[in-house]
Amino acid sequence: MLDKKGIESVRVTAMDGTMLLEADKEHFSFPKMFIHDMPVNNIIMIKGKGFPEYDADSGVYVIAYMKNGDRVRYIGRIKMSLENQINIQIRDEYGTIMEERRRFFKVRSQLKCLISGYEREGTLYEFDVPIRSVIKNVSIGGVFLDSTDPPFRKDDIILLNFKVGSELVGAVVRILRLQLRPDGSFEGYGCEFINVDKKMEGLLAKLVYDIQLQQRQEQMEKDFQKQEAQKRIKGY
């Protein structure tokens, strides 16, 4: 069955593999709906802007990118296609973990970083004043960088600086993809670390662990506050 809470993002492709659209978890949901007066909960509703219109009942693949790093592919059919919304019914009883799996577990973050320079087609460019950016998610294998000005290109090599605890880390990443939001605006860069030695791998593992720990503590605090609020409402 589809683990809806474990999905970080989805990608929808045609049956021939052609990419149709992508969406992060802020732009999709699984509302309870009715088909022929029967309740269903396996329809994913994706919202955005400027979607092409697709024929009803067209077959598609929905690829779910999971928190644990798996990519799980499901067969689906388009039930509604509008400019700002697409509904797809997923055969959630059949999911195939794709052979090419993410190598490393990633976590969401808001880690500030500096870009001191970049290499493009063999030429190194250094900034007089480093560019400020934000690492939106991180794993031992790579990072997702927020959009920057000036923009970078696919295959650019970026000189990246950020902190792990009190230690300043200098890393080198290659841009693998330029990612758009569902509304077509530019979101950021998917990057892989290159030239990672054992020390760097250890620092990245510590960074991922520290972020996970902080997020768990924050979630526990939210759960506690919610429970206390419910007790006050009930009067005990």
Side-chain angles (χ1 to χ4, degrees):
M1 296 293 290
L2 181 61
D3 175 15
K4 298 169 186 174
K5 292 183 179 180
I7 302 176
E8 289 287 297
S9 62
V10 295
R11 173 178 292 184
V12 180
T13 75
M15 301 304 286
D16 64 1
T18 302
M19 210 274 284
L20 302 180
L21 61 96
E22 291 181 303
D24 60 27
K25 61 184 179 182
E26 295 178 358
H27 293 90
F28 66 82
S29 61
F30 291 89
K32 188 173 183 179
M33 293 188 171
F34 291 83
I35 295 181
H36 305 305
D37 296 325
M38 295 294 293
V40 296
N41 58 10
N42 63 339
I43 289 182
I44 182 171
M45 176 191 295
I46 304 173
K47 292 192 174 183
K49 294 181 180 179
F51 290 149
E53 290 192 19
Y54 301 104
D55 294 335
D57 284 327
S58 297
V60 294
Y61 285 121
V62 178
I63 302 171
Y65 289 73
M66 311 302 294
K67 288 181 180 178
N68 66 1
D70 286 340
R71 296 187 304 150
V72 187
R73 186 173 66 183
Y74 298 90
I75 294 174
R77 289 196 176 277
I78 293 176
K79 291 301 178 183
M80 186 179 78
S81 177
L82 302 173
E83 182 181 3
N84 61 350
Q85 180 178 321
I86 293 178
N87 292 355
I88 302 171
Q89 187 170 19
I90 298 174
R91 293 191 63 182
D92 58 343
E93 71 273 26
Y94 297 109
T96 303
I97 296 179
M98 300 177 70
E99 290 185 7
E100 183 186 353
R101 298 175 61 181
R102 293 185 180 181
R103 295 175 56 203
F104 306 107
F105 180 81
K106 73 173 184 179
V107 293
R108 289 183 175 272
S109 68
Q110 286 294 323
L111 182 63
K112 295 178 181 179
C113 62
L114 293 174
I115 300 171
S116 57
Y118 67 100
E119 181 181 318
R120 178 178 295 165
E121 297 178 349
T123 301
L124 179 63
Y125 302 88
E126 295 186 80
F127 298 117
D128 293 333
V129 178
I131 294 175
R132 296 179 182 274
S133 187
V134 176
I135 296 174
K136 305 301 284 289
N137 63 57
V138 59
S139 74
I140 298 177
V143 296
F144 185 82
L145 283 175
D146 202 359
S147 58
T148 60
D149 187 20
F152 296 108
R153 302 176 187 172
K154 184 179 181 297
D155 294 324
D156 282 353
I157 294 174
I158 307 298
L159 308 180
L160 198 62
N161 301 276
F162 53 90
K163 279 190 173 183
V164 178
S166 60
E167 184 167 355
L168 182 63
V169 176
V172 182
V173 300
R174 177 186 289 111
I175 295 178
L176 298 180
R177 71 183 188 279
L178 279 63
Q179 185 164 307
L180 302 179
R181 297 184 180 90
D183 63 5
S185 62
F186 182 62
E187 183 175 10
Y189 311 96
C191 309
E192 66 172 351
F193 288 112
I194 57 177
N195 301 328
V196 176
D197 57 19
K198 289 293 184 181
K199 180 181 178 182
M200 175 65 74
E201 189 172 297
L203 287 169
L204 294 172
K206 181 181 185 305
L207 175 61
V208 171
Y209 174 79
D210 288 347
I211 292 173
Q212 283 182 282
L213 182 61
Q214 180 181 353
Q215 290 175 347
R216 281 198 296 268
Q217 291 172 337
E218 290 174 351
Q219 187 60 50
M220 288 173 62
E221 179 63 25
K222 288 179 181 178
D223 292 342
F224 175 77
Q225 291 177 357
K226 183 177 180 181
Q227 291 171 2
E228 292 298 304
Q230 290 174 342
K231 288 180 181 179
R232 287 194 294 272
I233 291 172
K234 293 178 180 179
Y236 61 87

